[in-house]
Amino acid sequence: MNNKIKKSASALIIALMLSFMLMPAVVYADEAAGEASIRIPVTVNATGEAPAEFQYEFQIESMTAGAPMPSNTTLTITDLTKKDEIMTADGEFIFAEDAFSVPDDYNYRITQITQSSEGVKTLDNSVYYITIRVLNGENGNQVVVWAQKNEDGSLHDPDEKWGKDSIVYTNEFDPPEKAEERTYSAVRTGDEANVILWGALAVGAAGCAGLLLSKKQRGR
Protein backbone atom coordinates (compact mmCIF):
# COMPACT_ATOMS: atom_id res chain seq x y z
CA MET A 1 0.00 0.00 0.00
CA ASN A 2 2.78 2.41 0.97
CA ASN A 3 4.62 1.65 -2.27
CA LYS A 4 1.51 2.48 -4.32
CA ILE A 5 1.13 5.80 -2.46
CA LYS A 6 4.80 6.63 -3.02
CA LYS A 7 4.54 5.77 -6.72
CA SER A 8 1.40 7.88 -7.09
CA ALA A 9 3.02 10.82 -5.32
CA SER A 10 6.13 10.54 -7.47
CA ALA A 11 4.04 10.42 -10.64
CA LEU A 12 2.09 13.51 -9.51
CA ILE A 13 5.28 15.46 -8.77
CA ILE A 14 6.77 14.55 -12.17
CA ALA A 15 3.54 15.54 -13.93
CA LEU A 16 3.52 18.92 -12.16
CA MET A 17 7.18 19.53 -13.05
CA LEU A 18 6.53 18.71 -16.71
CA SER A 19 3.49 20.99 -16.83
CA PHE A 20 5.57 23.91 -15.53
CA MET A 21 8.36 23.16 -18.00
CA LEU A 22 5.93 23.14 -20.92
CA MET A 23 4.21 26.39 -19.97
CA PRO A 24 4.95 29.13 -22.52
CA ALA A 25 7.45 31.69 -21.30
CA VAL A 26 6.47 35.34 -21.29
CA VAL A 27 8.60 37.56 -23.52
CA TYR A 28 6.69 40.76 -22.96
CA ALA A 29 3.39 41.13 -21.18
CA ASP A 30 1.33 44.08 -20.16
CA GLU A 31 -1.61 43.11 -17.99
CA ALA A 32 -4.32 45.73 -17.62
CA ALA A 33 -7.89 45.99 -16.48
CA GLY A 34 -10.36 46.42 -19.31
CA GLU A 35 -8.70 46.88 -22.70
CA ALA A 36 -5.05 45.87 -22.91
CA SER A 37 -2.12 47.97 -24.08
CA ILE A 38 0.63 46.12 -25.96
CA ARG A 39 4.18 47.15 -26.88
CA ILE A 40 6.48 44.74 -28.74
CA PRO A 41 10.15 45.75 -28.36
CA VAL A 42 12.74 45.12 -31.07
CA THR A 43 16.50 45.37 -30.51
CA VAL A 44 19.00 45.88 -33.32
CA ASN A 45 22.74 45.29 -32.93
CA ALA A 46 25.51 46.15 -35.38
CA THR A 47 29.06 44.84 -35.50
CA GLY A 48 31.90 46.30 -37.55
CA GLU A 49 31.80 49.87 -38.78
CA ALA A 50 28.16 50.80 -39.35
CA PRO A 51 27.54 54.20 -40.95
CA ALA A 52 26.49 56.78 -38.37
CA GLU A 53 23.15 57.59 -40.03
CA PHE A 54 22.28 54.08 -41.21
CA GLN A 55 18.56 53.23 -40.92
CA TYR A 56 17.35 49.82 -39.74
CA GLU A 57 13.81 48.98 -40.80
CA PHE A 58 11.42 46.25 -39.61
CA GLN A 59 7.83 45.33 -40.38
CA ILE A 60 5.07 43.47 -38.59
CA GLU A 61 2.47 41.47 -40.51
CA SER A 62 -0.74 39.87 -39.31
CA MET A 63 -1.15 36.11 -39.67
CA THR A 64 -4.66 36.15 -38.22
CA ALA A 65 -7.50 37.51 -40.32
CA GLY A 66 -8.94 40.69 -38.86
CA ALA A 67 -6.26 40.95 -36.16
CA PRO A 68 -5.59 44.44 -34.77
CA MET A 69 -2.48 46.14 -36.12
CA PRO A 70 -0.12 48.52 -34.33
CA SER A 71 -0.09 52.21 -35.13
CA ASN A 72 3.32 51.69 -36.76
CA THR A 73 3.39 48.62 -39.01
CA THR A 74 6.95 49.54 -40.01
CA LEU A 75 9.62 50.44 -37.48
CA THR A 76 12.72 52.54 -38.20
CA ILE A 77 15.62 52.51 -35.73
CA THR A 78 18.58 54.90 -35.94
CA ASP A 79 21.20 56.43 -33.65
CA LEU A 80 22.79 53.27 -32.29
CA THR A 81 25.01 53.63 -29.24
CA LYS A 82 28.05 51.57 -28.30
CA LYS A 83 27.60 48.91 -25.62
CA ASP A 84 29.92 45.99 -24.90
CA GLU A 85 31.89 46.46 -28.14
CA ILE A 86 28.77 46.53 -30.34
CA MET A 87 26.37 49.22 -31.49
CA THR A 88 22.80 48.79 -30.30
CA ALA A 89 19.40 50.50 -30.11
CA ASP A 90 15.78 49.63 -29.39
CA GLY A 91 12.37 50.38 -30.88
CA GLU A 92 8.78 49.30 -30.36
CA PHE A 93 5.68 48.28 -32.27
CA ILE A 94 2.86 49.97 -30.36
CA PHE A 95 -0.77 48.88 -30.35
CA ALA A 96 -3.61 51.18 -29.30
CA GLU A 97 -4.90 50.66 -25.76
CA ASP A 98 -8.28 49.44 -27.01
CA ALA A 99 -6.87 47.21 -29.79
CA PHE A 100 -7.43 43.89 -28.00
CA SER A 101 -10.91 44.03 -26.52
CA VAL A 102 -11.95 40.54 -27.70
CA PRO A 103 -10.38 37.47 -26.01
CA ASP A 104 -8.58 35.37 -28.61
CA ASP A 105 -5.15 34.39 -29.97
CA TYR A 106 -3.65 36.85 -32.48
CA ASN A 107 -0.60 35.83 -34.52
CA TYR A 108 1.96 38.11 -36.17
CA ARG A 109 5.29 37.94 -37.97
CA ILE A 110 8.21 40.38 -37.62
CA THR A 111 10.95 40.64 -40.26
CA GLN A 112 13.77 42.99 -41.09
CA ILE A 113 13.35 44.99 -44.32
CA THR A 114 16.55 47.02 -44.06
CA GLN A 115 18.00 47.79 -47.49
CA SER A 116 21.53 46.58 -48.12
CA SER A 117 24.10 49.18 -49.10
CA GLU A 118 27.84 49.69 -49.37
CA GLY A 119 29.63 48.41 -46.30
CA VAL A 120 26.90 45.94 -45.28
CA LYS A 121 28.36 42.47 -44.83
CA THR A 122 25.34 40.52 -43.52
CA LEU A 123 21.75 41.49 -42.73
CA ASP A 124 19.97 39.35 -40.14
CA ASN A 125 17.07 37.62 -41.95
CA SER A 126 15.57 35.99 -38.86
CA VAL A 127 11.79 35.72 -38.69
CA TYR A 128 10.00 36.16 -35.36
CA TYR A 129 6.51 34.75 -34.91
CA ILE A 130 4.47 36.54 -32.26
CA THR A 131 1.32 35.39 -30.53
CA ILE A 132 -0.78 37.78 -28.45
CA ARG A 133 -3.18 35.92 -26.20
CA VAL A 134 -6.06 37.89 -24.74
CA LEU A 135 -7.81 36.28 -21.75
CA ASN A 136 -10.78 37.24 -19.61
CA GLY A 137 -9.57 38.32 -16.20
CA GLU A 138 -11.37 39.15 -12.99
CA ASN A 139 -10.90 42.87 -13.57
CA GLY A 140 -10.94 42.82 -17.37
CA ASN A 141 -8.82 41.46 -20.18
CA GLN A 142 -5.31 40.18 -19.51
CA VAL A 143 -2.73 39.83 -22.26
CA VAL A 144 0.40 37.72 -22.60
CA VAL A 145 2.83 37.93 -25.56
CA TRP A 146 5.12 35.15 -26.78
CA ALA A 147 7.75 35.13 -29.51
CA GLN A 148 9.49 32.35 -31.40
CA LYS A 149 12.46 32.73 -33.72
CA ASN A 150 12.59 30.61 -36.88
CA GLU A 151 15.71 31.36 -38.87
CA ASP A 152 14.54 29.25 -41.81
CA GLY A 153 11.27 31.19 -42.01
CA SER A 154 9.12 28.10 -41.39
CA LEU A 155 5.66 28.54 -39.91
CA HIS A 156 5.08 27.93 -36.25
CA ASP A 157 3.24 24.72 -35.39
CA PRO A 158 0.20 25.83 -33.33
CA ASP A 159 0.40 22.59 -31.32
CA GLU A 160 3.86 23.51 -30.02
CA LYS A 161 4.54 25.80 -27.10
CA TRP A 162 6.04 29.20 -27.80
CA GLY A 163 9.69 29.78 -27.07
CA LYS A 164 11.32 32.53 -25.02
CA ASP A 165 13.34 34.30 -27.71
CA SER A 166 13.75 38.02 -27.40
CA ILE A 167 13.35 39.92 -30.65
CA VAL A 168 16.96 40.79 -31.49
CA TYR A 169 18.51 41.39 -34.91
CA THR A 170 22.29 41.51 -35.37
CA ASN A 171 23.72 42.98 -38.57
CA GLU A 172 27.36 42.83 -39.66
CA PHE A 173 29.28 45.59 -41.39
CA ASP A 174 32.68 45.47 -43.04
CA PRO A 175 35.60 46.92 -41.05
CA PRO A 176 36.92 50.28 -42.26
CA GLU A 177 39.30 50.01 -45.18
CA LYS A 178 42.88 50.99 -44.44
CA ALA A 179 44.39 53.58 -46.71
CA GLU A 180 46.64 51.83 -49.19
CA GLU A 181 50.25 52.64 -48.52
CA ARG A 182 52.06 53.66 -51.66
CA THR A 183 55.73 54.47 -52.18
CA TYR A 184 56.76 56.81 -54.91
CA SER A 185 60.25 56.78 -56.46
CA ALA A 186 61.87 60.02 -57.61
CA VAL A 187 60.97 60.75 -61.19
CA ARG A 188 63.84 61.75 -63.47
CA THR A 189 62.96 64.93 -65.27
CA GLY A 190 65.48 64.46 -68.03
CA ASP A 191 67.42 67.64 -67.13
CA GLU A 192 70.76 65.83 -67.11
CA ALA A 193 70.06 64.29 -70.49
CA ASN A 194 69.21 67.73 -71.89
CA VAL A 195 72.52 69.22 -70.66
CA ILE A 196 74.52 66.45 -72.32
CA LEU A 197 72.56 66.87 -75.54
CA TRP A 198 73.11 70.62 -75.68
CA GLY A 199 76.77 70.15 -74.82
CA ALA A 200 77.26 67.71 -77.70
CA LEU A 201 75.51 70.08 -80.10
CA ALA A 202 77.73 72.97 -78.95
CA VAL A 203 80.87 70.91 -79.47
CA GLY A 204 79.67 69.84 -82.90
CA ALA A 205 78.85 73.42 -83.89
CA ALA A 206 82.24 74.63 -82.72
CA GLY A 207 83.94 71.88 -84.70
CA CYS A 208 82.03 72.80 -87.85
CA ALA A 209 82.87 76.46 -87.40
CA GLY A 210 86.56 75.65 -86.95
CA LEU A 211 86.56 73.45 -90.04
CA LEU A 212 84.98 76.19 -92.17
CA LEU A 213 87.41 78.75 -90.84
CA SER A 214 90.43 76.57 -91.68
CA LYS A 215 89.14 76.01 -95.24
CA LYS A 216 88.81 79.75 -95.78
CA GLN A 217 92.33 80.37 -94.58
CA ARG A 218 93.72 77.73 -96.95
CA GLY A 219 91.81 79.23 -99.88
CA ARG A 220 93.62 82.51 -99.40
Side-chain angles (χ1 to χ4, degrees), residues 20-90:
F20 280 110
M21 291 174 63
L22 292 175
M23 287 181 66
V26 175
V27 172
Y28 191 88
D30 187 2
E31 296 184 358
E35 289 81 10
S37 174
I38 297 296
R39 294 171 179 263
I40 301 179
V42 174
T43 298
V44 58
N45 298 328
T47 62
E49 291 294 324
E53 298 181 356
F54 194 84
Q55 292 187 342
Y56 305 86
E57 296 183 328
F58 307 87
Q59 71 176 5
I60 185 170
E61 302 170 277
S62 171
M63 299 179 66
T64 301
M69 295 298 292
S71 56
N72 56 327
T73 55
T74 60
L75 174 64
T76 300
I77 301 177
T78 57
D79 301 327
L80 275 66
T81 57
K82 191 169 185 178
K83 181 181 179 181
D84 297 331
E85 303 302 322
I86 64 172
M87 303 297 290
T88 186
D90 300 307

Side-chain angles (χ1 to χ4, degrees), residues 196-206:
I196 295 173
L197 176 60
W198 286 110
L201 291 175
V203 172

Side-chain angles (χ1 to χ4, degrees), residues 62-69 95 99-102 104-108:
S62 171
M63 299 179 66
T64 301
M69 295 298 292
F95 290 84
F100 297 96
S101 58
V102 179
D104 204 345
D105 280 358
Y106 302 93
N107 297 313
Y108 300 86

